[in-house]
């Protein structure tokens, strides 16, 4: 079996890393044509201009060059999209459609994603910076599979019949049941790290449940969502069922969250913005689900194989250039093997081949934006100032594009910013531990609780640790593994609610109790 990290990184091959960063190959004519299309919003089944005619520039992170412009949706556009989603929810073909009809549409969409997989992967790579290879093995098949899996849920939503003991009316009998209904119009705000996959995580369950949606992609990475919008129309979803508004978070996103015509907000992004959204949504008592930041610990017990731990740690933190909410960004290694693991991980970091996403052989792309590159470099600088040592990386690359070298920080202290805060880049902080109580305390000493991993072949040790770790997902001998059937979400400041699996249906449905005097 090839280890997962071996598919993404050739960690031992340091000859590769000596190569300079290549230039970004020219995208295919289909992708160039798509990027040149008129900036438009998807409202009520049609591509329409934003009322203001304002646009937002979109960049290729590998070059820093503008590659497209998208529409900047203003308050009037938000009103139009909410009205379309409301009308589509209340009347017309969507509420009339059978669950099997919704299932068929979702399957059709997944087939269209599969048919256009190569183009979607290329578009995702050019806009986000990730490699085309990774987009084609993770993001695009993930989007397809989420629509497929959730298609099945459309026909499996069920309620219950319950027995009551209602007193006060002698001899009265009741027939009482609980029905599940779609929650209504849903605003879905997604981030830039997995733009297409995040759109699928949001749209697929909401549509399966019978909701109507307004999707707002991140301003940095709107292109694949717009392409998905074209496929949604091609699949034949009725007008207004899916609306796509490109725009900034503070304006378009905030307007959606405050809008009285929206019943629920589903958000994936930073904890900072999640708190703002949760507060704002209270005024209109919206249902809110939040998938937020993380600072996920990776715990390597003394019996772990050093090579496995090295590959696993590299994968946990450098996958998607570290721009992953569950990135294994705090590495805790038992003292017995700490030095060997750090030596291996630093060598691995130095061997990862950085480059533009469309270049064959690139293993890690640039970060998504200039802003993100600066943010990550500032964190590295703060670590340095607070006394951390750099075992690998620690700097940008003197080349256009938003590159940051895979970075390993050691000699860190629990109170340092680099240990406490989410960096969202290819930067891991490594610490040693000697006993299990100590590492449990350290792992849980964080406002976050999204993911964690334990590396050991000691079954009892793993099972004893799992219940003590405060995180929504605990992996053993792997990290960042997700499945549409596996609930996902955070403890503590990492969020509210669980997406995927049966659990996500709770987010997109309301319970209705029906009590009939018979
Ligand atoms: P980052 O800071 O890394 O860009 P954010 O949490 O700001 O992460 O962004 C995630 C998503 O949230 C994006 O689609 C962004 O436009 C949106 N967003 C940002 N601020 C707000 C806000 N105040 N209200 C609603 N959405 C927002
Ligand atoms: Mg932001």
């Amino acid at each position: 079996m090839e280890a997962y990290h071996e598919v993404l990184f050739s960690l031992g091959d340091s000859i590769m890393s000596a190569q300079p960063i290549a230039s970004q190959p020219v995208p295919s004519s289909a992708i160039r044509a798509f990027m040149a299309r008129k900036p438009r919003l998807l409202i009520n089944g049609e591509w329409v201009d934003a009322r203001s005619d304002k646009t937002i520039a979109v960049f290729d992170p590998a070059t820093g060059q503008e590659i497209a412009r998208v529409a900047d949706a203003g308050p009037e556009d938000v009103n139009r999209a909410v009205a379309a989603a409301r009308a589509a929810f209340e009347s017309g073909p969507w509420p009339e459609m059978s669950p099997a009809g919704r299932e068929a549409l979702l399957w059709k969409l997944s087939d269209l994603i599969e048919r256009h997989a190569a183009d979607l992967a290329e578009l995702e790579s050019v806009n986000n910076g990730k490699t085309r290879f990774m987009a084609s093995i993770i993001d695009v098949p993930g989007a397809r599979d989420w629509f497929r899996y959730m298609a099945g849920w459309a026909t499996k939503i069920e309620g219950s019949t319950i027995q009551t003991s209602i007193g006060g009316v002698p001899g009265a009998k009741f027939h009482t049941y609980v029905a599940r209904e779609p929650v209504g119009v849903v605003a879905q705000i997604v981030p830039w790290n997995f733009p297409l996959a995040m759109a699928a995580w949001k749209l697929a369950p909401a549509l399966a449940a019978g909701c109507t949606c307004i999707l707002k992609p991140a301003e940095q990475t709107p292109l694949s969502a717009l392409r998905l919008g074209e496929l949604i129309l091609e699949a034949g979803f009725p007008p207004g069922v899916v609306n796509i508004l490109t725009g900034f978070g503070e304006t378009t996103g905030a307007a959606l969250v405050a809008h009285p015509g929206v019943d629920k907000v589903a958000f994936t992004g930073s904890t900072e913005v999640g708190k703002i959204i949760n507060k704002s949504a209270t005024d209109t008592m919206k249902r809110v689900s939040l998938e937020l930041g993380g600072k996920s610990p990776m715990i390597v017990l003394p019996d772990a194989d050093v090579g496995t731990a090295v590959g696993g740690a590299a994968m946990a933190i450098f996958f998607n250039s570290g721009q992953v909410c569950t990135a294994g960004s705090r590495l805790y290694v038992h003292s017995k093997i700490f030095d060997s693991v750090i030596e291996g991980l630093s060598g691995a970091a130095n061997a990862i081949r950085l480059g533009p996403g469309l270049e064959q052989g690139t293993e890690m792309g640039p970060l998504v934006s200039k802003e993100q590159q600066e943010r990550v470099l500032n964190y590295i600088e703060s670590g340095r100032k607070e006394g951390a040592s750099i075992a690998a990386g620690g700097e940008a690359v003197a080349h256009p594009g938003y590159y940051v070298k895979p970075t390993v920080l050691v000699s860190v202290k629990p109170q340092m910013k680099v240990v406490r805060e989410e960096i969202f880049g290819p930067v891991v902080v490594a610490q040693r531990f000697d006993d299990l109580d100590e590492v449990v305390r350290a792992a849980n000493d964080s406002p976050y609780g999204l993911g964690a991993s334990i590396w050991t072949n000691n079954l009892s040790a793993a099972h004893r640790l799992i219940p003590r770790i405060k995180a929504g997902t605990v992996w053993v001998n792997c990290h960042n593994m997700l499945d549409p059937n596996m609930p996902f979400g955070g403890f503590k400041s990492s969020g509210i609610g669980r997406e995927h699996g049966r659990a996500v249906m709770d987010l997109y449905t309301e319970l209705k109790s029906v009590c009939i005097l018979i």
Side-chain angles (χ1 to χ4, degrees):
M1 184 186 69
E2 204 169 13
Y4 208 81
H5 68 264
E6 285 166 8
V7 178
L8 296 179
F9 307 125
S10 54
L11 298 178
D13 190 354
S14 52
I15 304 157
M16 297 269 240
S17 66
Q19 296 191 7
I21 289 192
S23 352
Q24 175 78 301
V26 177
S28 66
S29 56
I31 295 303
R32 292 205 310 275
F34 182 80
M35 295 190 302
R37 72 173 225 161
K38 213 164 172 277
R40 289 271 173 86
L41 306 168
L42 179 59
I43 298 178
N44 206 25
E46 286 175 19
W47 293 103
V48 299
D49 293 330
R51 283 278 152 81
S52 73
D53 279 335
K54 280 196 210 151
T55 58
I56 300 172
V58 180
F59 300 92
D60 175 350
T63 63
Q65 302 292 311
E66 182 177 317
I67 48 170
R69 297 196 81 86
V70 296
D72 181 5
E76 280 184 75
D77 305 310
V78 169
N79 285 340
R80 280 196 291 166
V82 174
R86 174 60 57 194
F89 182 73
E90 303 292 350
S91 57
W94 189 243
E96 291 301 314
M97 194 179 285
S98 67
R102 297 201 301 275
E103 176 182 25
L105 280 176
L106 287 163
W107 260 95
K108 200 159 173 200
L109 179 57
S110 75
D111 284 346
L112 286 171
I113 292 172
E114 187 166 79
R115 187 177 319 152
H116 297 284
D119 280 359
L120 283 166
E122 186 175 0
L123 190 62
E124 198 75 324
S125 171
V126 174
N127 191 178
N128 167 278
K130 68 180 68 202
T131 65
R132 181 196 342 227
F133 171 68
M134 194 177 81
S136 68
I137 63 162
I138 307 270
D139 301 64
V140 177
R144 176 200 61 197
D145 293 347
W146 251 261
F147 279 109
R148 274 193 191 155
Y149 169 87
M150 290 298 166
W153 267 108
T155 54
K156 284 146 201 90
I157 298 165
E158 52 184 31
S160 56
T161 343
I162 55 173
Q163 308 238 324
T164 54
S165 310
I166 300 166
V169 189
K173 285 190 185 252
F174 299 90
H175 169 47
T176 308
Y177 66 93
V178 182
R180 236 174 229 282
E181 299 182 354
V183 71
V185 172
V186 186
Q188 305 184 304
I189 300 174
V190 295
W192 44 256
N193 57 343
F194 294 91
L196 181 68
M198 290 293 144
W201 284 21
K202 294 286 178 283
L203 292 174
L207 296 171
C211 297
T212 59
C213 303
I214 303 149
L215 175 74
K216 195 204 84 63
E219 52 270 37
Q220 298 86 348
T221 55
L223 299 184
S224 56
L226 293 171
R227 182 72 186 104
L228 183 66
E230 293 183 345
L231 300 181
I232 284 167
L233 294 186
E234 194 178 333
F237 283 87
V241 170
V242 179
N243 306 274
I244 300 177
L245 298 183
T246 47
F248 292 103
E250 296 77 2
T251 51
T252 317
L256 282 167
V257 175
H259 203 293
V262 172
D263 299 301
K264 175 191 162 56
V265 177
F267 172 76
T268 297
S270 60
T271 292
E272 184 196 351
V273 172
K275 288 179 184 173
I276 296 172
I277 287 178
N278 207 13
K279 282 187 190 138
S280 164
T282 303
D283 288 337
T284 44
M285 211 49 83
K286 286 184 179 60
R287 283 76 186 109
V288 177
S289 49
L290 304 168
E291 197 264 276
L292 308 176
K295 190 77 181 174
S296 300
M298 166 164 168
I299 301 169
V300 184
L301 299 191
D303 73 283
D305 170 67
V306 169
T308 306
V310 165
M315 171 60 206
I317 187 62
F318 301 136
F319 166 62
N320 212 41
S321 307
Q323 303 167 125
V324 180
C325 49
T326 50
S329 51
R330 288 184 294 147
L331 175 62
Y332 295 96
V333 186
H334 191 272
S335 288
K336 193 178 143 212
I337 52 171
F338 182 84
D339 292 337
S340 328
V341 170
I342 296 310
E343 193 189 327
L345 181 60
S346 304
N350 291 329
I352 289 174
R353 185 174 179 177
L354 289 183
L358 297 186
E359 174 73 7
Q360 190 82 24
T362 292
E363 293 178 321
M364 195 175 112
L367 300 190
V368 75
S369 63
K370 182 96 198 116
E371 187 191 2
Q372 192 60 17
Q373 183 195 34
E374 278 165 11
R375 200 180 121 89
V376 171
L377 291 172
N378 284 338
Y379 270 114
I380 295 172
E381 192 44 37
S382 98
R384 213 192 305 255
K385 281 205 182 113
E386 290 188 287
S389 313
I390 292 170
E395 56 187 7
V397 181
H399 188 275
Y402 315 133
Y403 294 98
V404 173
K405 291 186 182 167
T407 298
V408 180
L409 298 180
V410 291
S411 308
V412 297
K413 298 272 162 4
Q415 291 316 314
M416 288 180 181
K417 262 175 68 156
V418 286
V419 176
R420 302 213 65 79
E421 298 180 17
E422 183 178 44
I423 298 176
F424 223 65
V427 182
V428 65
V429 293
Q431 291 162 273
R432 60 174 80 230
F433 70 90
D434 290 298
D435 74 71
L436 285 187
D437 288 343
E438 178 195 351
V439 77
V440 166
R441 258 197 316 276
N444 288 334
D445 179 20
S446 167
Y448 296 112
L450 196 57
S453 63
I454 299 165
W455 296 72
T456 181
N457 290 314
N458 182 335
L459 204 56
S460 323
H463 279 291
R464 281 169 184 271
L465 270 181
I466 291 162
R468 300 180 69 190
I469 301 295
K470 301 208 179 308
T473 301
V474 177
W475 291 285
V476 178
N477 294 330
C478 60
H479 198 108
N480 286 335
M481 300 294 132
L482 301 172
D483 186 273
N485 200 24
M486 187 169 122
F488 180 74
F491 282 29
K492 303 193 272 184
S493 291
S494 288
I496 296 176
R498 292 291 180 276
E499 297 189 292
H500 318 334
R502 179 186 292 273
V504 74
M505 286 300 137
D506 291 338
L507 302 184
Y508 291 108
T509 53
E510 289 274 17
L511 292 184
K512 179 177 282 177
S513 294
V514 180
C515 178
I516 306 173
L517 176 63
I518 53 175

